[in-house]
Amino acid sequence: NHIDVFPAEAKDWKYPPFGGEIHDGEIWGRGALDMKGMGVIELMAMIILKNSGIELDRDIIYLGTPDEEVGGEFGAGWLQKHKPEIIKSAEFLLNEGFPIEADEKGKAKYWGVDYAEKSVLWLELTTEGAAGHASMPIPGAATYRLVRALKKIDDAGPNFRLLPEVEEYFKKIAPTEDETMKKLYASIDSSIKKKEHSHALLSDLLKSSMLRNTISLTVIKAGYKTNVIPASASAQLDCRLLPDVKKDDFITWIKGIVDDPTVKVTVLEWNQSDPSSMETEMVAAIKKVAAAEDAKVPVVPVIVPWFTDSHWFRELGVQAYGFQPCEVDKEHFATMHGKDERITIDAFKKGVVRMYKILKEVAAPDAK
């Protein structure tokens, strides 16, 4: 778990964001979900396991790191580089990533296990040309060529593609959706091929991110005065790539879409994230605990569009999974990095019990 949190403005919150207060059966405060709450759940589960006296056949390491919210270089990244012996022999790692998705009444729909994160690729597109007085337009000015390049990228479409694990995800969660989405998700392999379904599939930003490489235009820079045509213009793109997509292949695709050799494409950031296997003892333990609680609630593989500290440990060969064993509905999920972050006490308590059971199953499978 990471112990740092995203900033918060107290004036925007119903209750103090750093108070850790309980109101109306919920724990309020920055980090309740992301991810001080998870850290406490892990700690309490380990204390319960220790106090039980159960003999383990695996070590369990509790690791709390700083700096994750700004990249992790001085937290998990530092440990990976300077103290790898702490964790490199570990088989599995549990981290933040995805919760138990719940409906508006808090009832579990499915347990989502983040086995992979999208790779982060930040690109900058730059155009250069003649500068001049804006009263005399210059054909092919840098600004216009940049705008045309961005328009081509925006018009390229979602370009859906389906990984086997993602297909499993959509087909298993289909019964939990409304009638329209149930049909689309149940036959997701054919749904993504029909243009008329694109709008519906894209309506859920999180789920649709698993079906495609995404591109977000985040920064545009050009000019300094209204009546001066600038000599250069640039735009930055935040691209998130599916785990099997190579950086150079994606850049080649971008250049092909733009189809203008005068548009320079530069890599600003590249963090590759390799997937973990869904066929391990850790995943089997999560499935066993879930089935014992409610056999009708599936455990499904999830690709999350954001990055976590897991990639630092995957680089050491550790099978890392993002899984928060608590029910979280859409309303509460939206409070992470937003305002009024909170978790229900009931979900928190269940999280402790589930974490304990998962740890016991993995580290003491023969315990009675």
Side-chain angles (χ1 to χ4, degrees):
N1 65 83
H2 66 82
I3 57 176
D4 61 319
V5 295
F6 197 76
E9 292 285 344
K11 62 182 177 59
D12 297 330
W13 286 57
K14 184 176 181 180
Y15 301 109
F18 299 109
E21 299 177 1
I22 293 176
H23 299 279
D24 303 321
E26 296 183 314
I27 304 167
W28 289 67
R30 177 62 86 220
L33 291 171
D34 183 18
M35 73 169 292
K36 289 182 182 293
M38 176 75 164
V40 176
I41 285 172
E42 292 174 345
L43 179 61
M44 293 179 71
M46 289 187 69
I47 291 172
I48 294 170
L49 191 60
K50 175 67 175 178
N51 291 342
S52 72
I54 294 172
E55 186 174 347
L56 307 180
D57 60 9
R58 278 191 171 102
D59 290 335
I60 301 177
I61 304 164
Y62 181 91
L63 185 63
T65 60
D67 201 51
E68 191 274 346
E69 294 292 0
V70 288
E73 182 179 351
F74 299 105
W78 188 90
L79 283 168
Q80 185 227 56
K81 291 180 177 66
H82 301 286
K83 295 289 183 179
E85 65 275 9
I86 295 175
I87 45 178
K88 69 178 182 181
S89 62
E91 286 186 88
F92 312 118
L93 180 139
L94 284 179
N95 185 26
E96 67 176 344
F98 208 82
I100 299 173
E101 182 167 324
D103 62 20
E104 63 278 1
K105 295 181 180 179
K107 180 176 173 54
K109 297 169 66 177
Y110 61 87
W111 293 29
V113 177
D114 153 18
Y115 79 101
E117 300 166 4
K118 298 179 89 170
S119 299
V120 177
L121 176 62
W122 292 352
L123 299 176
E124 183 170 63
L125 275 56
T126 306
T127 54
E128 296 180 349
H133 199 289
S135 65
M136 295 174 284
I138 300 173
T143 47
Y144 284 106
R145 282 187 287 115
L146 179 64
V147 168
R148 282 196 291 269
L150 295 173
K151 182 67 165 60
K152 288 178 181 178
I153 292 172
D154 187 47
D155 288 342
N159 295 297
F160 292 129
R161 53 201 307 272
L162 191 62
L163 298 178
E165 294 85 357
V166 176
E167 182 175 9
E168 177 188 348
Y169 167 82
F170 279 99
K171 290 188 174 181
K172 282 187 175 179
I173 73 164
T176 69
E177 299 291 320
D178 60 38
E179 286 304 314
T180 298
M181 301 313 295
K182 182 185 297 185
K183 293 178 181 178
L184 291 180
Y185 288 172
S187 56
I188 190 66
D189 48 338
S190 61
S191 298
I192 62 173
K193 298 174 184 176
K194 298 177 181 177
K195 191 173 182 179
E196 63 267 25
H197 296 325
S198 293
H199 180 74
L201 291 174
L202 292 171
S203 64
D204 190 309
L205 301 181
L206 177 58
K207 292 181 175 64
S208 65
S209 72
M210 291 185 242
L211 293 168
R212 61 188 182 125
N213 302 314
T214 58
I215 304 172
S216 291
L217 173 59
T218 55
V219 178
I220 300 178
K221 297 178 181 178
Y224 57 91
K225 201 169 187 295
T226 305
N227 65 344
V228 176
I229 297 173
S232 65
S234 67
Q236 294 179 10
L237 306 175
D238 184 331
C239 309
R240 305 295 170 115
L241 312 185
L242 292 169
D244 64 335
V245 177
K246 298 184 183 301
K247 175 192 67 175
D248 291 343
D249 291 343
F250 186 78
I251 292 174
T252 298
W253 179 81
I254 286 284
K255 290 179 177 178
I257 292 294
V258 171
D259 193 25
D260 183 348
T262 69
V263 178
K264 182 181 178 183
V265 180
T266 306
V267 175
L268 301 177
E269 184 79 19
W270 167 243
N271 287 315
Q272 183 174 357
S273 182
D274 295 320
S276 297
S277 171
M278 285 295 289
E279 302 297 326
T280 64
E281 292 175 75
M282 176 58 76
V283 176
I286 294 172
K287 288 181 177 179
K288 185 173 181 179
V289 172
E293 190 171 315
D294 188 342
K296 295 180 180 179
V297 178
V299 175
V300 296
V302 174
I303 299 175
V304 295
W306 53 80
F307 71 86
T308 73
D309 278 336
S310 288
H311 75 91
W312 298 107
F313 305 110
R314 286 182 175 128
E315 290 170 15
L316 292 175
V318 180
Q319 298 287 317
Y321 303 97
F323 174 62
Q324 186 171 351
C326 306
E327 290 90 347
V328 180
D329 59 25
K330 288 184 177 180
E331 178 185 350
H332 287 78
F333 195 84
T335 65
M336 288 191 293
H337 288 207
K339 64 178 183 178
D340 295 340
E341 184 178 352
R342 62 197 187 276
I343 183 173
T344 67
I345 294 176
D346 182 61
F348 180 86
K349 288 181 176 179
K350 287 180 179 178
V352 174
V353 174
R354 290 164 180 152
M355 182 63 72
Y356 161 74
K357 289 180 178 179
I358 291 167
L359 294 180
K360 186 176 75 168
E361 184 62 34
V362 172
D366 299 325
K368 301 299 182 183

